[in-house]
Amino acid sequence: MSLMKKFKRTYQVNFLFNYHRLILLLFLFYGCEKKIQQADSIIIGRVFTMDVNHPWVDAVAIKDGIIIYVGSKEDVFKYKGDFTRIIINEEGMVLPGFIDTHVHLLWGGMEMNECRLNGLANKEQVLSHIENYIKQNPSLEWIRGYGWDLTAFQNNSPRKEWLDKISIDKPIFLYSYDAHSAWVNTKALELAGITENTSNPKNGIIEKDKNGNPTGLLREDAMELVGSLIPKYKDEEIYSGLKLAIEMANEVGITSIFDAGLGPHDDLTFYQNASKDTLITMRISASQYINQDSWRSDLRAIKKKRYNYQYGYMNTIKIFADGTIESGTAALNEPYIGTNNYGILNWDTDTLKVAFSEFEKYGFQIHVHAIGDRGIKTTLDAFEYAKIKNGQMDRRHIISHAQLVNPYDIQRFAELNVSASFQSLWAYPDQYIRDLTIPVLGPIRSKWNYPLQSIVLAGGRIVGGSDWTVTSLNPLDAIEVAVTRRRLGDENGEALLINQAVDLETILRAYTINAAYAIFKEDMIGSIELGKKADLVILDKNLFNIPKHEIHNTNVNMTIFDGRIAYERK
């Protein structure tokens, strides 16, 4: 069988699973009434199912990883056996397991053991943390880290000289919080051969001072000039990091993820092996980066890398349409205020159209990073071209971030069946929005930052994602901001475009059944229905009964994956 035939239905729910589900349903409805299955677990509490016909029930029974009963707590006990575990959660609520449609799980786990700079407020704190990390890890040949915030530095621009004072012998490479910039020291620049005479690479910027000397700040593809020199992670580091990341995700109720891109320094084998591991507690959908200059060879290579196993698959490509607004690299229809800069469009528009149509023709889903209005429009244009070229195909493409959407493009998400994967935790007036976004966009364009509600009202589908480790992995944080458009815990403070807030049910669906659809598993997970996989999250509060600004304080009491307890709060 050819690869094309073997994988052309990678995104459809596994036929064998659906066949078994049908047999189970027939047995439950028409089987012998004298012999009722004994459940492994019974859950009592308010259950929000995501089933539009039966949105609320009071009990669920699970057997062999499958939901065998959904209904009243009076009737569920007929499934109780001698060894059935009874889980009572009457004060909280039960939901389908959360699905994160844009996360960097493999990277994130490995980064936990590196120099973490998240949340540090100023230059002094950042430098002190780096210095302490180097002292605590004297054997490291390279210093790797991530998470520094542009707003921690005057003029939003860290300098290589500050790092040189800490280490001139060891190269230092530190990703910014959004991983679209890297801060390096002089040693790293020397190893990469970057001098005042080095030109910007395609789709990248080497920041230089007024004398033309590199400052130590590399943006977008310029990061690769140094990044390509960093030694690869050891296998044991990767496996250990992935295990840690899965545990962290389970702790916040996540049972399925879409990893938004593995690059040239990553090995897909680790996800592939994890997807065959019967002890894993995460469904992992993976993707691979595709570049403009090599997309045809990338297509030939990636066709051979596709897989579809019990707990994961890879049949998606990841493309960067542009950069970020705060770094001036998001592609805009009109220039950034006070400049002639339109940002960086990473792909030639005609090349993007042809590439999309080819990848789609060979059965691939396409996941695109697009932030600026021009980046988003160009991406939608390419999807439209592919649709015209190939006809209607069930590929379920995704635009991630979708920060600045031109109002004329809002309805195109629905028309083209393109999901918008929002990182809604970003949709409040933090320092990035106030100081680095609104001033460079101006008041008119700024009215279209993170237009969740507009896309929903136009019939589009939104799905939830974290972009961890850029920001919090906890879906409850993003869920709160989606409904308040305010800083976490802020009841009456400043909101970012309150008209773009969505209701609680909408954002919960974005993290469950909508997200399941986006990864082609809506018949298996994403709702609590008879015959579906038992991926559930049990919360200590009912989100519909508490103030919106308190959602982030809700705790996950238990996460159930495939009927097994993946996490239990102590």
Side-chain angles (χ1 to χ4, degrees):
M1 180 182 292
S2 70
L3 280 173
M4 178 59 187
K5 290 181 179 178
K6 184 176 180 181
F7 290 105
K8 69 179 181 179
R9 296 191 62 82
T10 298
Y11 296 120
Q12 302 302 322
V13 177
N14 183 277
F15 172 81
L16 186 61
F17 171 79
N18 279 334
Y19 173 78
H20 287 160
R21 185 183 178 199
L22 176 61
I23 295 300
L24 174 64
L25 292 172
L26 290 173
F27 173 80
L28 290 173
F29 284 115
Y30 301 111
C32 177
E33 294 182 357
K34 294 181 180 179
K35 187 175 181 180
I36 295 176
Q37 294 186 85
Q38 293 185 352
D40 298 322
S41 302
I42 288 174
I43 304 171
I44 305 295
R46 294 297 284 157
V47 181
F48 193 48
T49 66
M50 302 300 161
D51 178 358
V52 294
N53 296 314
H54 305 284
W56 289 97
V57 298
D58 294 315
V60 177
I62 300 166
K63 174 70 174 178
D64 294 332
I66 302 294
I67 297 169
I68 61 171
Y69 174 82
V70 180
S72 71
K73 59 184 177 182
E74 290 78 18
D75 292 337
V76 73
F77 284 101
K78 64 186 177 184
Y79 295 93
K80 181 181 180 298
D82 294 339
F83 301 101
T84 301
R85 177 171 180 176
I86 308 298
I87 301 167
I88 299 176
N89 190 63
E90 293 182 330
E91 298 300 318
M93 73 183 299
V94 182
L95 289 163
F98 293 131
I99 303 170
D100 190 325
T101 64
H102 189 102
V103 66
H104 301 281
L105 202 70
L106 195 66
W107 290 356
M110 293 183 288
E111 287 174 359
M112 291 298 101
N113 294 317
E114 296 183 342
C115 185
R116 298 159 57 187
L117 304 171
N118 305 74
L120 301 179
N122 54 52
K123 168 186 170 183
E124 290 71 28
Q125 290 181 8
V126 172
L127 293 175
S128 175
H129 193 88
I130 297 168
E131 186 172 11
N132 289 335
Y133 177 83
I134 293 175
K135 289 178 180 177
Q136 293 166 9
N137 297 274
S139 63
L140 293 178
E141 295 180 4
W142 276 77
I143 307 303
R144 295 187 285 202
Y146 72 98
W148 56 267
D149 195 318
L150 282 170
T151 60
F153 305 104
Q154 187 176 8
N155 300 321
N156 309 309
S157 184
R159 302 276 306 186
K160 67 180 185 296
E161 291 85 1
W162 304 341
L163 296 178
D164 292 342
K165 291 181 179 179
I166 299 174
S167 177
I168 58 172
D169 300 320
K170 294 184 177 183
I172 301 176
F173 183 91
L174 306 169
Y175 279 116
S176 62
Y177 94 103
D178 62 2
H180 284 265
S181 300
W183 176 23
V184 301
N185 65 348
T186 297
K187 183 67 174 180
L189 292 172
E190 290 175 350
L191 290 173
I194 298 174
T195 69
E196 67 275 10
N197 297 318
T198 306
S199 300
N200 287 333
K202 185 177 180 179
N203 300 330
I205 299 172
I206 301 169
E207 293 286 358
K208 296 179 179 178
D209 60 24
K210 62 183 180 180
N211 297 317
N213 296 311
T215 66
L217 186 59
L218 307 174
R219 298 193 188 276
E220 304 299 343
D221 285 4
M223 296 186 292
E224 191 64 9
L225 298 175
V226 174
S228 61
L229 304 176
I230 301 176
K232 289 185 177 182
Y233 293 100
K234 297 176 182 177
D235 286 2
E236 57 268 26
E237 292 176 323
I238 298 175
Y239 279 119
S240 176
L242 180 57
K243 180 177 182 293
L244 174 61
I246 290 172
E247 291 173 353
M248 294 174 67
N250 288 157
E251 287 181 14
V252 292
I254 297 172
T255 54
S256 296
I257 65 102
F258 175 83
D259 190 297
L262 297 176
H265 308 307
D266 309 305
D267 192 337
L268 192 62
T269 303
F270 297 100
Y271 270 157
Q272 196 169 358
N273 291 339
S275 297
K276 295 183 285 186
D277 186 350
T278 58
L279 298 180
I280 196 174
T281 54
M282 187 68 60
R283 302 184 198 279
I284 299 171
S285 303
S287 64
Q288 290 239 272
Y289 287 127
I290 302 299
N291 297 307
Q292 175 176 251
D293 295 338
S294 59
W295 74 266
R296 290 190 184 275
S297 60
D298 290 341
L299 173 58
R300 291 191 294 271
I302 198 173
K303 284 193 290 185
K304 300 176 183 178
K305 294 182 178 181
R306 289 192 272 204
Y307 63 83
N308 190 9
Y309 297 119
Q310 181 177 6
Y311 293 127
Y313 73 93
M314 194 288 290
N315 198 45
T316 305
I317 64 165
K318 167 71 180 295
I319 283 175
F320 281 93
D322 62 358
T324 64
I325 291 173
E326 60 268 16
S327 64
T329 55
L332 304 183
N333 289 324
E334 300 295 333
Y336 290 81
I337 296 294
T339 76
N340 293 318
N341 176 31
Y342 287 79
I344 297 175
L345 193 62
N346 290 332
W347 286 66
D348 171 78
T349 56
D350 290 335
T351 303
L352 189 67
K353 289 177 180 179
V354 175
F356 275 21
S357 66
E358 286 296 295
F359 278 102
E360 184 181 271
K361 182 175 72 176
Y362 283 100
F364 287 100
Q365 183 188 40
I366 303 170
H367 187 108
V368 183
H369 163 114
I371 282 182
D373 51 5
R374 185 181 176 208
I376 293 166
K377 181 184 185 302
T378 301
T379 301
L380 291 169
D381 288 346
F383 284 140
E384 185 173 10
Y385 175 87
K387 181 179 179 181
I388 294 171
K389 190 81 171 176
N390 298 324
Q392 187 67 47
M393 305 183 83
D394 187 22
R395 295 290 180 255
R396 308 185 189 186
H397 305 309
I398 297 172
I399 292 179
S400 197
H401 311 316
Q403 179 174 349
L404 182 67
V405 185
N406 188 295
Y408 294 106
D409 288 323
I410 293 287
Q411 76 280 0
R412 299 179 72 195
F413 284 85
E415 292 169 357
L416 297 170
N417 192 30
V418 173
S419 296
S421 176
F422 281 109
Q423 289 60 57
S424 53
L425 181 57
W426 305 348
Y428 74 94
D430 65 353
Q431 199 169 353
Y432 270 81
I433 291 291
R434 292 195 310 268
D435 298 345
L436 302 180
T437 302
I438 293 176
V440 300
L441 295 180
I444 296 176
R445 283 186 294 187
S446 293
K447 291 180 180 178
W448 295 97
N449 271 302
Y450 304 113
L452 278 74
Q453 179 71 340
S454 290
I455 289 179
V456 170
L457 291 177
R461 179 181 300 102
I462 66 170
V463 296
S466 65
D467 206 9
W468 185 74
T469 58
V470 173
T471 42
S472 169
L473 184 60
N474 191 343
L476 292 168
D477 292 346
I479 288 167
E480 177 176 313
V481 175
V483 299
T484 67
R485 306 283 290 204
R486 294 184 174 93
R487 184 182 299 275
L488 291 176
D490 195 342
E491 182 177 6
N492 299 309
E494 181 186 3
L496 177 68
L497 307 172
I498 193 64
N499 62 307
Q500 294 296 347
V502 296
D503 61 47
L504 181 57
E505 179 175 348
T506 295
I507 194 62
L508 289 177
R509 295 183 71 83
Y511 271 96
T512 53
I513 191 62
N514 284 7
Y517 175 90
I519 60 172
F520 291 83
K521 295 193 179 298
E522 75 277 12
D523 287 344
M524 181 186 292
I525 57 175
S527 62
I528 301 173
E529 297 181 70
L530 210 60
K532 282 196 170 185
K533 290 287 188 179
D535 290 3
L536 310 171
V537 57
I538 302 176
L539 305 179
D540 70 341
K541 300 182 183 71
N542 187 328
L543 302 182
F544 288 90
N545 294 339
I546 62 175
K548 295 177 182 178
H549 68 282
E550 295 181 5
I551 289 174
H552 74 287
N553 288 326
T554 302
N555 296 304
V556 172
N557 280 344
M558 184 179 292
T559 301
I560 297 174
F561 173 82
D562 215 29
R564 295 175 274 135
I565 295 175
Y567 166 75
E568 186 170 9
R569 184 176 169 223
K570 303 302 182 183

